[in-house]
Amino acid sequence: DVKVTQSSRYLVKRTGEKVFLECVQDMDHENMFWYRQDPGLGLRLIYFSYDVKMKEKGDIPEGYSVSREKKERFSLILESASTNQTSMYLCASSPRLAGADTQYFGPGTRLTVL
Amino acid sequence: AQSVSQHNHHVILSEAASLELGCNYSYGGTVNLFWYVQYPGQHLQLLLKYFSGDPLVKGIKGFEAEFIKSKFSFNLRKPSVQWSDTAEYFCAVNGNTDKLIFGTGTRLQVFP
């Protein structure tokens, strides 16, 4: 079974703090994704990565950055957390095929910014 | 740009009722279509997917979905829901990229 793990289930931070969310997958998938999930808005893509050291902006990248130094690990960074970044953050991975295949999701990190 | 619309935001049913959740997408080319489910407190997981072939796709737990190309739709159905189907359901689509575009989700509550 594919396993995607996220470093924290719950996180509380203060405005202005730098926040790191870590994601690790164990299936040697090329693609990794970061989404945020908000009620009534569904899942919105923040950033994704096709390969090590490669990243592309998703639909809502403002206020976020990412890092992918190893194939299995994809980090989301909030450089200066703000209250409007309070949300559920989901990481996902998928193999790189011709066209999308199933994405496998982690359990999510519920981030609260005070 | 691709987009996905889920018409029902919140659906409340009694056990044994039939379910149909609407999903429409906008994209003119070949698409892959997905339904994901998120049970309370659990990971988002794949319910079923359509890539090609028979437009009627069967998934886990008795769910099925029908791809109707002319209507740009991929509605999810289940003939008889159970209390354990209480969850949030997301439709997703992709065109010629590895990215998925998700709908806003439908929250289903099933009462015994």
Side-chain angles (χ1 to χ4, degrees):
Chain A
D1 269 357
V2 175
K3 194 163 185 183
V4 180
T5 56
Q6 295 183 229
S7 50
S8 307
R9 291 300 301 271
Y10 299 94
L11 209 52
V12 180
K13 295 292 181 181
R14 298 211 173 271
T15 302
E17 282 192 78
K18 191 169 185 176
V19 181
F20 293 87
L21 303 182
E22 305 285 340
C23 175
V24 177
Q25 52 96 2
D26 66 359
M27 281 300 291
D28 202 36
H29 286 167
E30 290 81 9
N31 299 335
M32 295 189 76
F33 307 84
W34 274 106
Y35 296 90
R36 62 178 283 176
Q37 182 181 8
D38 299 289
L41 297 178
L43 276 72
R44 294 179 291 167
L45 183 64
I46 304 171
Y47 267 97
F48 61 103
S49 170
Y50 289 129
D51 205 345
V52 175
K53 297 192 186 296
M54 297 193 66
K55 60 186 179 185
E56 289 197 28
K57 293 180 180 179
D59 300 316
I60 51 165
E62 296 78 19
Y64 304 94
S65 61
V66 290
S67 172
R68 192 159 180 207
E69 297 296 320
K70 293 185 178 181
K71 190 174 185 179
E72 67 271 17
R73 187 180 297 270
F74 192 35
S75 303
L76 180 70
I77 304 154
L78 287 66
E79 295 289 342
S80 177
S82 64
T83 54
N84 62 12
Q85 293 178 310
T86 291
S87 186
M88 172 70 86
Y89 290 87
L90 299 180
C91 176
S93 72
S94 72
R96 184 152 196 204
L97 303 173
D101 200 345
T102 304
Q103 289 187 14
Y104 296 87
F105 285 83
T109 296
R110 187 167 292 282
L111 172 67
T112 302
V113 182
L114 302 175
Chain B
Q2 298 174 61
S3 65
V4 178
S5 297
Q6 291 185 242
H7 320 296
N8 318 100
H9 299 292
H10 190 189
V11 174
I12 301 173
L13 294 173
S14 298
E15 277 193 317
S18 64
L19 171 72
E20 181 161 2
L21 301 183
C23 173
N24 286 89
Y25 65 92
S26 66
Y27 182 70
T30 301
V31 290
N32 299 319
L33 297 154
F34 304 79
W35 275 98
Y36 280 83
V37 61
Q38 190 173 35
Y39 298 104
Q42 294 190 26
H43 298 203
L44 202 66
Q45 58 185 285
L46 182 72
L47 199 55
L48 48 79
K49 62 184 178 184
Y50 171 81
F51 281 9
S52 64
D54 188 344
L56 184 62
V57 179
K58 295 194 183 299
I60 60 171
K61 303 189 181 187
F63 285 91
E64 64 179 31
E66 185 175 13
F67 170 50
I68 303 179
K69 190 175 181 180
S70 61
K71 294 185 178 180
F72 297 91
S73 71
F74 190 55
N75 291 355
L76 182 71
R77 299 194 294 247
K78 186 171 184 179
S80 175
V81 294
Q82 301 173 310
W83 175 78
S84 58
D85 294 325
T86 293
E88 190 155 18
Y89 294 81
F90 294 92
C91 182
V93 64
N94 90 301
N96 58 358
T97 73
D98 291 346
K99 293 191 294 181
L100 289 179
I101 307 298
F102 283 86
T104 53
T106 297
R107 186 171 163 228
L108 172 65
Q109 281 184 289
V110 180
F111 288 96

PDB file of all heavy atoms in Angstrom, chain A residues 9-10 37 88 107 110, chain B residues 36-45 61 82-90 106-110:
ATOM      1  N   ARG A   9      -0.369  16.266  12.619  1.00  0.00           N
ATOM      2  CA  ARG A   9      -1.806  16.291  12.352  1.00  0.00           C
ATOM      3  C   ARG A   9      -2.405  17.649  12.706  1.00  0.00           C
ATOM      4  O   ARG A   9      -3.317  18.119  12.039  1.00  0.00           O
ATOM      5  CB  ARG A   9      -2.523  15.201  13.147  1.00  0.00           C
ATOM      6  CG  ARG A   9      -2.241  13.787  12.699  1.00  0.00           C
ATOM      7  CD  ARG A   9      -2.637  13.537  11.243  1.00  0.00           C
ATOM      8  NE  ARG A   9      -4.044  13.767  10.981  1.00  0.00           N
ATOM      9  CZ  ARG A   9      -4.992  12.824  11.098  1.00  0.00           C
ATOM     10  NH1 ARG A   9      -4.682  11.612  11.479  1.00  0.00           N
ATOM     11  NH2 ARG A   9      -6.246  13.103  10.817  1.00  0.00           N
ATOM     12  N   TYR A  10      -1.879  18.237  13.775  1.00  0.00           N
ATOM     13  CA  TYR A  10      -2.358  19.546  14.225  1.00  0.00           C
ATOM     14  C   TYR A  10      -1.159  20.430  14.534  1.00  0.00           C
ATOM     15  O   TYR A  10      -0.157  19.964  15.074  1.00  0.00           O
ATOM     16  CB  TYR A  10      -3.224  19.416  15.483  1.00  0.00           C
ATOM     17  CG  TYR A  10      -4.461  18.570  15.290  1.00  0.00           C
ATOM     18  CD1 TYR A  10      -4.443  17.213  15.598  1.00  0.00           C
ATOM     19  CD2 TYR A  10      -5.630  19.125  14.785  1.00  0.00           C
ATOM     20  CE1 TYR A  10      -5.575  16.436  15.407  1.00  0.00           C
ATOM     21  CE2 TYR A  10      -6.769  18.354  14.595  1.00  0.00           C
ATOM     22  CZ  TYR A  10      -6.734  17.012  14.907  1.00  0.00           C
ATOM     23  OH  TYR A  10      -7.842  16.243  14.714  1.00  0.00           O
ATOM     24  N   GLN A  37      -7.324  22.634   1.898  1.00  0.00           N
ATOM     25  CA  GLN A  37      -8.740  22.269   1.854  1.00  0.00           C
ATOM     26  C   GLN A  37      -9.503  23.181   2.785  1.00  0.00           C
ATOM     27  O   GLN A  37      -9.218  23.223   3.990  1.00  0.00           O
ATOM     28  CB  GLN A  37      -8.925  20.808   2.273  1.00  0.00           C
ATOM     29  CG  GLN A  37     -10.367  20.341   2.212  1.00  0.00           C
ATOM     30  CD  GLN A  37     -10.530  18.895   2.656  1.00  0.00           C
ATOM     31  OE1 GLN A  37      -9.592  18.270   3.157  1.00  0.00           O
ATOM     32  NE2 GLN A  37     -11.718  18.345   2.467  1.00  0.00           N
ATOM     33  N   MET A  88      -6.685  23.303   6.412  1.00  0.00           N
ATOM     34  CA  MET A  88      -6.203  21.931   6.372  1.00  0.00           C
ATOM     35  C   MET A  88      -5.289  21.807   5.155  1.00  0.00           C
ATOM     36  O   MET A  88      -5.688  22.171   4.039  1.00  0.00           O
ATOM     37  CB  MET A  88      -7.380  20.965   6.253  1.00  0.00           C
ATOM     38  CG  MET A  88      -6.971  19.519   6.015  1.00  0.00           C
ATOM     39  SD  MET A  88      -6.186  18.762   7.441  1.00  0.00           S
ATOM     40  CE  MET A  88      -7.641  18.188   8.315  1.00  0.00           C
ATOM     41  N   PRO A 107      -2.740  12.182   5.636  1.00  0.00           N
ATOM     42  CA  PRO A 107      -3.845  12.417   6.567  1.00  0.00           C
ATOM     43  C   PRO A 107      -4.188  13.881   6.756  1.00  0.00           C
ATOM     44  O   PRO A 107      -5.239  14.202   7.307  1.00  0.00           O
ATOM     45  CB  PRO A 107      -3.328  11.813   7.874  1.00  0.00           C
ATOM     46  CG  PRO A 107      -1.854  11.895   7.764  1.00  0.00           C
ATOM     47  CD  PRO A 107      -1.524  11.714   6.319  1.00  0.00           C
ATOM     48  N   ARG A 110      -3.789  20.053  10.107  1.00  0.00           N
ATOM     49  CA  ARG A 110      -4.687  21.184  10.371  1.00  0.00           C
ATOM     50  C   ARG A 110      -3.875  22.268  11.042  1.00  0.00           C
ATOM     51  O   ARG A 110      -3.441  22.112  12.180  1.00  0.00           O
ATOM     52  CB  ARG A 110      -5.864  20.772  11.241  1.00  0.00           C
ATOM     53  CG  ARG A 110      -6.878  21.897  11.380  1.00  0.00           C
ATOM     54  CD  ARG A 110      -8.195  21.433  11.976  1.00  0.00           C
ATOM     55  NE  ARG A 110      -8.954  20.539  11.115  1.00  0.00           N
ATOM     56  CZ  ARG A 110      -9.680  20.918  10.072  1.00  0.00           C
ATOM     57  NH1 ARG A 110      -9.734  22.195   9.735  1.00  0.00           N
ATOM     58  NH2 ARG A 110     -10.356  20.028   9.371  1.00  0.00           N
TER      59      ARG A 110
ATOM     60  N   TYR B  36     -13.345  11.067  -5.379  1.00  0.00           N
ATOM     61  CA  TYR B  36     -12.651  10.781  -4.132  1.00  0.00           C
ATOM     62  C   TYR B  36     -13.643  10.933  -2.982  1.00  0.00           C
ATOM     63  O   TYR B  36     -14.589  11.711  -3.055  1.00  0.00           O
ATOM     64  CB  TYR B  36     -11.499  11.765  -3.919  1.00  0.00           C
ATOM     65  CG  TYR B  36     -10.247  11.448  -4.700  1.00  0.00           C
ATOM     66  CD1 TYR B  36     -10.121  11.836  -6.024  1.00  0.00           C
ATOM     67  CD2 TYR B  36      -9.188  10.766  -4.105  1.00  0.00           C
ATOM     68  CE1 TYR B  36      -8.968  11.549  -6.739  1.00  0.00           C
ATOM     69  CE2 TYR B  36      -8.030  10.474  -4.806  1.00  0.00           C
ATOM     70  CZ  TYR B  36      -7.925  10.874  -6.122  1.00  0.00           C
ATOM     71  OH  TYR B  36      -6.789  10.591  -6.828  1.00  0.00           O
ATOM     72  N   VAL B  37     -13.364  10.229  -1.891  1.00  0.00           N
ATOM     73  CA  VAL B  37     -14.214  10.312  -0.714  1.00  0.00           C
ATOM     74  C   VAL B  37     -13.353  10.556   0.525  1.00  0.00           C
ATOM     75  O   VAL B  37     -12.223  10.064   0.619  1.00  0.00           O
ATOM     76  CB  VAL B  37     -15.059   9.024  -0.542  1.00  0.00           C
ATOM     77  CG1 VAL B  37     -14.171   7.788  -0.371  1.00  0.00           C
ATOM     78  CG2 VAL B  37     -16.013   9.138   0.632  1.00  0.00           C
ATOM     79  N   GLN B  38     -13.888  11.348   1.423  1.00  0.00           N
ATOM     80  CA  GLN B  38     -13.199  11.611   2.688  1.00  0.00           C
ATOM     81  C   GLN B  38     -14.157  11.306   3.821  1.00  0.00           C
ATOM     82  O   GLN B  38     -15.083  12.089   4.094  1.00  0.00           O
ATOM     83  CB  GLN B  38     -12.725  13.059   2.740  1.00  0.00           C
ATOM     84  CG  GLN B  38     -11.807  13.363   3.907  1.00  0.00           C
ATOM     85  CD  GLN B  38     -11.237  14.774   3.809  1.00  0.00           C
ATOM     86  OE1 GLN B  38     -11.903  15.687   3.343  1.00  0.00           O
ATOM     87  NE2 GLN B  38      -9.995  14.952   4.237  1.00  0.00           N
ATOM     88  N   TYR B  39     -13.965  10.158   4.467  1.00  0.00           N
ATOM     89  CA  TYR B  39     -14.774   9.809   5.634  1.00  0.00           C
ATOM     90  C   TYR B  39     -14.303  10.634   6.819  1.00  0.00           C
ATOM     91  O   TYR B  39     -13.141  11.052   6.863  1.00  0.00           O
ATOM     92  CB  TYR B  39     -14.675   8.318   5.919  1.00  0.00           C
ATOM     93  CG  TYR B  39     -15.205   7.462   4.792  1.00  0.00           C
ATOM     94  CD1 TYR B  39     -14.340   6.799   3.918  1.00  0.00           C
ATOM     95  CD2 TYR B  39     -16.576   7.337   4.583  1.00  0.00           C
ATOM     96  CE1 TYR B  39     -14.827   6.047   2.868  1.00  0.00           C
ATOM     97  CE2 TYR B  39     -17.069   6.577   3.533  1.00  0.00           C
ATOM     98  CZ  TYR B  39     -16.186   5.939   2.677  1.00  0.00           C
ATOM     99  OH  TYR B  39     -16.668   5.198   1.634  1.00  0.00           O
ATOM    100  N   PRO B  40     -15.173  10.875   7.781  1.00  0.00           N
ATOM    101  CA  PRO B  40     -14.803  11.715   8.924  1.00  0.00           C
ATOM    102  C   PRO B  40     -13.510  11.244   9.577  1.00  0.00           C
ATOM    103  O   PRO B  40     -13.373  10.081   9.957  1.00  0.00           O
ATOM    104  CB  PRO B  40     -16.007  11.552   9.865  1.00  0.00           C
ATOM    105  CG  PRO B  40     -17.148  11.231   8.955  1.00  0.00           C
ATOM    106  CD  PRO B  40     -16.577  10.413   7.848  1.00  0.00           C
ATOM    107  N   GLY B  41     -12.551  12.148   9.657  1.00  0.00           N
ATOM    108  CA  GLY B  41     -11.291  11.850  10.320  1.00  0.00           C
ATOM    109  C   GLY B  41     -10.325  10.990   9.534  1.00  0.00           C
ATOM    110  O   GLY B  41      -9.298  10.571  10.060  1.00  0.00           O
ATOM    111  N   GLN B  42     -10.647  10.721   8.267  1.00  0.00           N
ATOM    112  CA  GLN B  42      -9.784   9.836   7.479  1.00  0.00           C
ATOM    113  C   GLN B  42      -9.172  10.558   6.285  1.00  0.00           C
ATOM    114  O   GLN B  42      -9.537  11.676   5.945  1.00  0.00           O
ATOM    115  CB  GLN B  42     -10.578   8.617   7.005  1.00  0.00           C
ATOM    116  CG  GLN B  42     -11.038   7.709   8.124  1.00  0.00           C
ATOM    117  CD  GLN B  42     -11.602   6.407   7.602  1.00  0.00           C
ATOM    118  OE1 GLN B  42     -11.259   5.945   6.516  1.00  0.00           O
ATOM    119  NE2 GLN B  42     -12.491   5.810   8.388  1.00  0.00           N
ATOM    120  N   HIS B  43      -8.210   9.839   5.644  1.00  0.00           N
ATOM    121  CA  HIS B  43      -7.568  10.363   4.442  1.00  0.00           C
ATOM    122  C   HIS B  43      -8.576  10.486   3.305  1.00  0.00           C
ATOM    123  O   HIS B  43      -9.540   9.731   3.232  1.00  0.00           O
ATOM    124  CB  HIS B  43      -6.506   9.373   3.940  1.00  0.00           C
ATOM    125  CG  HIS B  43      -5.397   9.115   4.873  1.00  0.00           C
ATOM    126  ND1 HIS B  43      -4.170   8.665   4.462  1.00  0.00           N
ATOM    127  CD2 HIS B  43      -5.306   9.209   6.211  1.00  0.00           C
ATOM    128  CE1 HIS B  43      -3.381   8.507   5.494  1.00  0.00           C
ATOM    129  NE2 HIS B  43      -4.041   8.816   6.565  1.00  0.00           N
ATOM    130  N   LEU B  44      -8.287  11.377   2.410  1.00  0.00           N
ATOM    131  CA  LEU B  44      -8.988  11.401   1.136  1.00  0.00           C
ATOM    132  C   LEU B  44      -8.562  10.151   0.360  1.00  0.00           C
ATOM    133  O   LEU B  44      -7.371   9.838   0.279  1.00  0.00           O
ATOM    134  CB  LEU B  44      -8.571  12.646   0.365  1.00  0.00           C
ATOM    135  CG  LEU B  44      -9.495  13.165  -0.718  1.00  0.00           C
ATOM    136  CD1 LEU B  44     -10.792  13.659  -0.116  1.00  0.00           C
ATOM    137  CD2 LEU B  44      -8.808  14.288  -1.484  1.00  0.00           C
ATOM    138  N   GLN B  45      -9.537   9.416  -0.170  1.00  0.00           N
ATOM    139  CA  GLN B  45      -9.177   8.185  -0.890  1.00  0.00           C
ATOM    140  C   GLN B  45     -10.003   8.054  -2.162  1.00  0.00           C
ATOM    141  O   GLN B  45     -11.101   8.599  -2.269  1.00  0.00           O
ATOM    142  CB  GLN B  45      -9.383   6.954   0.004  1.00  0.00           C
ATOM    143  CG  GLN B  45     -10.799   6.792   0.524  1.00  0.00           C
ATOM    144  CD  GLN B  45     -10.901   5.627   1.497  1.00  0.00           C
ATOM    145  OE1 GLN B  45     -10.884   4.477   1.083  1.00  0.00           O
ATOM    146  NE2 GLN B  45     -11.009   5.939   2.774  1.00  0.00           N
ATOM    147  N   LYS B  61     -17.413  -0.135  -2.482  1.00  0.00           N
ATOM    148  CA  LYS B  61     -18.571   0.042  -1.612  1.00  0.00           C
ATOM    149  C   LYS B  61     -19.877   0.259  -2.366  1.00  0.00           C
ATOM    150  O   LYS B  61     -20.771   0.945  -1.865  1.00  0.00           O
ATOM    151  CB  LYS B  61     -18.322   1.185  -0.623  1.00  0.00           C
ATOM    152  CG  LYS B  61     -17.068   0.966   0.210  1.00  0.00           C
ATOM    153  CD  LYS B  61     -16.913   1.957   1.320  1.00  0.00           C
ATOM    154  CE  LYS B  61     -15.627   1.672   2.080  1.00  0.00           C
ATOM    155  NZ  LYS B  61     -15.449   2.483   3.275  1.00  0.00           N
ATOM    156  N   GLN B  82     -25.900   3.718   3.001  1.00  0.00           N
ATOM    157  CA  GLN B  82     -25.829   3.264   4.382  1.00  0.00           C
ATOM    158  C   GLN B  82     -25.307   4.402   5.252  1.00  0.00           C
ATOM    159  O   GLN B  82     -24.675   5.338   4.748  1.00  0.00           O
ATOM    160  CB  GLN B  82     -24.884   2.064   4.480  1.00  0.00           C
ATOM    161  CG  GLN B  82     -25.297   0.889   3.624  1.00  0.00           C
ATOM    162  CD  GLN B  82     -24.246  -0.202   3.613  1.00  0.00           C
ATOM    163  OE1 GLN B  82     -23.074   0.062   3.373  1.00  0.00           O
ATOM    164  NE2 GLN B  82     -24.669  -1.425   3.867  1.00  0.00           N
ATOM    165  N   TRP B  83     -25.521   4.277   6.536  1.00  0.00           N
ATOM    166  CA  TRP B  83     -25.039   5.292   7.467  1.00  0.00           C
ATOM    167  C   TRP B  83     -23.526   5.495   7.300  1.00  0.00           C
ATOM    168  O   TRP B  83     -23.020   6.618   7.386  1.00  0.00           O
ATOM    169  CB  TRP B  83     -25.378   4.854   8.889  1.00  0.00           C
ATOM    170  CG  TRP B  83     -24.831   5.771   9.932  1.00  0.00           C
ATOM    171  CD1 TRP B  83     -25.325   6.983  10.323  1.00  0.00           C
ATOM    172  CD2 TRP B  83     -23.645   5.540  10.709  1.00  0.00           C
ATOM    173  NE1 TRP B  83     -24.528   7.533  11.301  1.00  0.00           N
ATOM    174  CE2 TRP B  83     -23.494   6.663  11.555  1.00  0.00           C
ATOM    175  CE3 TRP B  83     -22.708   4.518  10.767  1.00  0.00           C
ATOM    176  CZ2 TRP B  83     -22.450   6.775  12.462  1.00  0.00           C
ATOM    177  CZ3 TRP B  83     -21.664   4.629  11.671  1.00  0.00           C
ATOM    178  CH2 TRP B  83     -21.548   5.754  12.496  1.00  0.00           C
ATOM    179  N   SER B  84     -22.820   4.413   7.000  1.00  0.00           N
ATOM    180  CA  SER B  84     -21.363   4.484   6.863  1.00  0.00           C
ATOM    181  C   SER B  84     -20.913   5.236   5.602  1.00  0.00           C
ATOM    182  O   SER B  84     -19.714   5.470   5.424  1.00  0.00           O
ATOM    183  CB  SER B  84     -20.759   3.072   6.844  1.00  0.00           C
ATOM    184  OG  SER B  84     -21.316   2.324   5.781  1.00  0.00           O
ATOM    185  N   ASP B  85     -21.842   5.603   4.738  1.00  0.00           N
ATOM    186  CA  ASP B  85     -21.491   6.413   3.568  1.00  0.00           C
ATOM    187  C   ASP B  85     -21.407   7.899   3.892  1.00  0.00           C
ATOM    188  O   ASP B  85     -21.055   8.708   3.015  1.00  0.00           O
ATOM    189  CB  ASP B  85     -22.513   6.196   2.439  1.00  0.00           C
ATOM    190  CG  ASP B  85     -22.487   4.791   1.889  1.00  0.00           C
ATOM    191  OD1 ASP B  85     -21.388   4.193   1.817  1.00  0.00           O
ATOM    192  OD2 ASP B  85     -23.568   4.271   1.535  1.00  0.00           O
ATOM    193  N   THR B  86     -21.740   8.257   5.107  1.00  0.00           N
ATOM    194  CA  THR B  86     -21.607   9.657   5.530  1.00  0.00           C
ATOM    195  C   THR B  86     -20.159  10.091   5.339  1.00  0.00           C
ATOM    196  O   THR B  86     -19.232   9.498   5.903  1.00  0.00           O
ATOM    197  CB  THR B  86     -22.015   9.814   7.012  1.00  0.00           C
ATOM    198  OG1 THR B  86     -23.415   9.553   7.123  1.00  0.00           O
ATOM    199  CG2 THR B  86     -21.710  11.213   7.515  1.00  0.00           C
ATOM    200  N   ALA B  87     -19.961  11.123   4.523  1.00  0.00           N
ATOM    201  CA  ALA B  87     -18.611  11.529   4.132  1.00  0.00           C
ATOM    202  C   ALA B  87     -18.718  12.763   3.243  1.00  0.00           C
ATOM    203  O   ALA B  87     -19.811  13.228   2.920  1.00  0.00           O
ATOM    204  CB  ALA B  87     -17.914  10.407   3.365  1.00  0.00           C
ATOM    205  N   GLU B  88     -17.557  13.263   2.841  1.00  0.00           N
ATOM    206  CA  GLU B  88     -17.525  14.311   1.836  1.00  0.00           C
ATOM    207  C   GLU B  88     -16.979  13.705   0.543  1.00  0.00           C
ATOM    208  O   GLU B  88     -16.005  12.957   0.564  1.00  0.00           O
ATOM    209  CB  GLU B  88     -16.665  15.488   2.287  1.00  0.00           C
ATOM    210  CG  GLU B  88     -16.811  16.693   1.387  1.00  0.00           C
ATOM    211  CD  GLU B  88     -16.504  18.019   2.059  1.00  0.00           C
ATOM    212  OE1 GLU B  88     -15.862  18.010   3.121  1.00  0.00           O
ATOM    213  OE2 GLU B  88     -16.899  19.066   1.503  1.00  0.00           O
ATOM    214  N   TYR B  89     -17.624  14.040  -0.562  1.00  0.00           N
ATOM    215  CA  TYR B  89     -17.302  13.457  -1.853  1.00  0.00           C
ATOM    216  C   TYR B  89     -16.813  14.544  -2.805  1.00  0.00           C
ATOM    217  O   TYR B  89     -17.440  15.593  -2.935  1.00  0.00           O
ATOM    218  CB  TYR B  89     -18.538  12.760  -2.437  1.00  0.00           C
ATOM    219  CG  TYR B  89     -18.967  11.568  -1.630  1.00  0.00           C
ATOM    220  CD1 TYR B  89     -19.724  11.719  -0.472  1.00  0.00           C
ATOM    221  CD2 TYR B  89     -18.589  10.276  -1.994  1.00  0.00           C
ATOM    222  CE1 TYR B  89     -20.095  10.631   0.297  1.00  0.00           C
ATOM    223  CE2 TYR B  89     -18.958   9.172  -1.238  1.00  0.00           C
ATOM    224  CZ  TYR B  89     -19.700   9.365  -0.096  1.00  0.00           C
ATOM    225  OH  TYR B  89     -20.064   8.277   0.659  1.00  0.00           O
ATOM    226  N   PHE B  90     -15.698  14.242  -3.460  1.00  0.00           N
ATOM    227  CA  PHE B  90     -15.093  15.211  -4.369  1.00  0.00           C
ATOM    228  C   PHE B  90     -14.961  14.609  -5.764  1.00  0.00           C
ATOM    229  O   PHE B  90     -14.419  13.517  -5.918  1.00  0.00           O
ATOM    230  CB  PHE B  90     -13.695  15.611  -3.886  1.00  0.00           C
ATOM    231  CG  PHE B  90     -13.680  16.362  -2.600  1.00  0.00           C
ATOM    232  CD1 PHE B  90     -13.541  15.702  -1.391  1.00  0.00           C
ATOM    233  CD2 PHE B  90     -13.800  17.750  -2.592  1.00  0.00           C
ATOM    234  CE1 PHE B  90     -13.518  16.398  -0.193  1.00  0.00           C
ATOM    235  CE2 PHE B  90     -13.784  18.450  -1.398  1.00  0.00           C
ATOM    236  CZ  PHE B  90     -13.647  17.775  -0.196  1.00  0.00           C
ATOM    237  N   THR B 106     -19.163  17.624  -1.977  1.00  0.00           N
ATOM    238  CA  THR B 106     -20.544  17.450  -1.518  1.00  0.00           C
ATOM    239  C   THR B 106     -20.499  16.706  -0.199  1.00  0.00           C
ATOM    240  O   THR B 106     -19.917  15.625  -0.113  1.00  0.00           O
ATOM    241  CB  THR B 106     -21.382  16.643  -2.517  1.00  0.00           C
ATOM    242  OG1 THR B 106     -21.475  17.348  -3.747  1.00  0.00           O
ATOM    243  CG2 THR B 106     -22.783  16.399  -1.963  1.00  0.00           C
ATOM    244  N   ARG B 107     -21.112  17.327   0.792  1.00  0.00           N
ATOM    245  CA  ARG B 107     -21.166  16.669   2.098  1.00  0.00           C
ATOM    246  C   ARG B 107     -22.435  15.835   2.168  1.00  0.00           C
ATOM    247  O   ARG B 107     -23.536  16.359   2.006  1.00  0.00           O
ATOM    248  CB  ARG B 107     -21.161  17.725   3.207  1.00  0.00           C
ATOM    249  CG  ARG B 107     -21.077  17.153   4.584  1.00  0.00           C
ATOM    250  CD  ARG B 107     -20.865  18.268   5.593  1.00  0.00           C
ATOM    251  NE  ARG B 107     -21.172  17.781   6.934  1.00  0.00           N
ATOM    252  CZ  ARG B 107     -21.927  18.406   7.814  1.00  0.00           C
ATOM    253  NH1 ARG B 107     -22.449  19.577   7.516  1.00  0.00           N
ATOM    254  NH2 ARG B 107     -22.142  17.887   8.993  1.00  0.00           N
ATOM    255  N   LEU B 108     -22.269  14.541   2.379  1.00  0.00           N
ATOM    256  CA  LEU B 108     -23.403  13.619   2.469  1.00  0.00           C
ATOM    257  C   LEU B 108     -23.589  13.189   3.911  1.00  0.00           C
ATOM    258  O   LEU B 108     -22.641  12.730   4.551  1.00  0.00           O
ATOM    259  CB  LEU B 108     -23.169  12.382   1.599  1.00  0.00           C
ATOM    260  CG  LEU B 108     -24.190  11.257   1.744  1.00  0.00           C
ATOM    261  CD1 LEU B 108     -25.558  11.696   1.258  1.00  0.00           C
ATOM    262  CD2 LEU B 108     -23.733  10.006   0.993  1.00  0.00           C
ATOM    263  N   GLN B 109     -24.811  13.361   4.395  1.00  0.00           N
ATOM    264  CA  GLN B 109     -25.163  12.844   5.717  1.00  0.00           C
ATOM    265  C   GLN B 109     -26.265  11.818   5.534  1.00  0.00           C
ATOM    266  O   GLN B 109     -27.284  12.109   4.903  1.00  0.00           O
ATOM    267  CB  GLN B 109     -25.658  13.966   6.628  1.00  0.00           C
ATOM    268  CG  GLN B 109     -24.543  14.809   7.210  1.00  0.00           C
ATOM    269  CD  GLN B 109     -25.083  15.848   8.176  1.00  0.00           C
ATOM    270  OE1 GLN B 109     -25.719  16.810   7.756  1.00  0.00           O
ATOM    271  NE2 GLN B 109     -24.825  15.661   9.450  1.00  0.00           N
ATOM    272  N   VAL B 110     -26.039  10.630   6.082  1.00  0.00           N
ATOM    273  CA  VAL B 110     -27.031   9.561   6.019  1.00  0.00           C
ATOM    274  C   VAL B 110     -27.493   9.266   7.431  1.00  0.00           C
ATOM    275  O   VAL B 110     -26.674   8.981   8.315  1.00  0.00           O
ATOM    276  CB  VAL B 110     -26.448   8.291   5.377  1.00  0.00           C
ATOM    277  CG1 VAL B 110     -27.511   7.192   5.314  1.00  0.00           C
ATOM    278  CG2 VAL B 110     -25.912   8.595   3.981  1.00  0.00           C
TER     279      VAL B 110
END
